[in-house]
Amino acid sequence: MKQVSKILLPLSSARNVEAAFILGANFARRFSAHLAVLHVRSDGRDIAPLAGEGLTGGMVEELMATAEKEGNKRTREIHDAFESFAARTPDIEAVPPRIPFPQGKPSMSFNVLHGAENEVVPWHARLSDFTLVPHPDSGDEVSSSEALHAVLFDSGRPAVIAPREPMPHMVKRVCIAWNGTAEAASALRGVLAWASTAERVRVLHCEDYQRRGPDAREVVDYLSMHNIMADRHEFQPIDRDMGRGLLGACQDFGADMLAMGAYSHSRLRQLILGGVTRHVLEHSTLPVLMSR
């Protein structure tokens, strides 16, 4: 049964888009799916209320003009990057964003919408099978990635974070991080599309990572009911760091993809104290499917 038909790829800048485009194209090929590339432009009129905050009308107009100019430049850069990639990827048909997408073969489109990114992106993500997010460049940006956190907290759908460097090959080995939580269960459901056609699947668990809920043995049994043969492996923290231990286990397995629940602890706690989600976001070199 086909499990992926539409992939959303929101782009706020041209940083790291090549790795995201390549991964999105491979996913589109794998599932004969549509890759919907979306750029959300903020509305310069949102600056107008600043006139009541001590700024003169002239100052507000200047800010709006500057924002419009920067927005135009950013949109051109993203559109040019899309056009360049489409020209280099003739096997995936580029189509307009508002017509029925071709069925049974990979396709892609580019669309520009106006509004607040943290509203528009999750709205579209809710009617996509998953959202592919380019990897931010630094830890600070990871912590404040507008599109990523909007999808995780407000779409009800999983997000796949692309690595910083392009991964040209298909996903062959899948790791599933399991700790018994509802977030982990959501990620497990989201990764079935890849696990069902992977060469090998491994469930990673750790006694110190486990919460109240089903254990890894039960996950392996659940996967077998979907005709997915998986093994399980207990990893250990590295220097008391659970995230390092998890990524180390993925590397030892030769994983091409990791699926995990996101922010089992509160996002604020993770931002202040760190946590498995934040460590994986900042240090992973493979695609990561996250879900809440």
Side-chain angles (χ1 to χ4, degrees), residues 6 14 32 82 130 135 145 230 284:
K6 182 185 176 185
S32 296
F82 174 83
F130 67 90
H135 202 296
S145 174
S284 177

Side-chain angles (χ1 to χ4, degrees), residues 135-145 164 271 278 281-282:
H135 202 296
D137 288 318
S138 70
D140 289 341
E141 289 175 349
V142 165
S143 301
S144 60
S145 174
R164 292 178 175 88
L271 295 182
R278 180 169 182 173
L281 281 172
E282 293 180 3

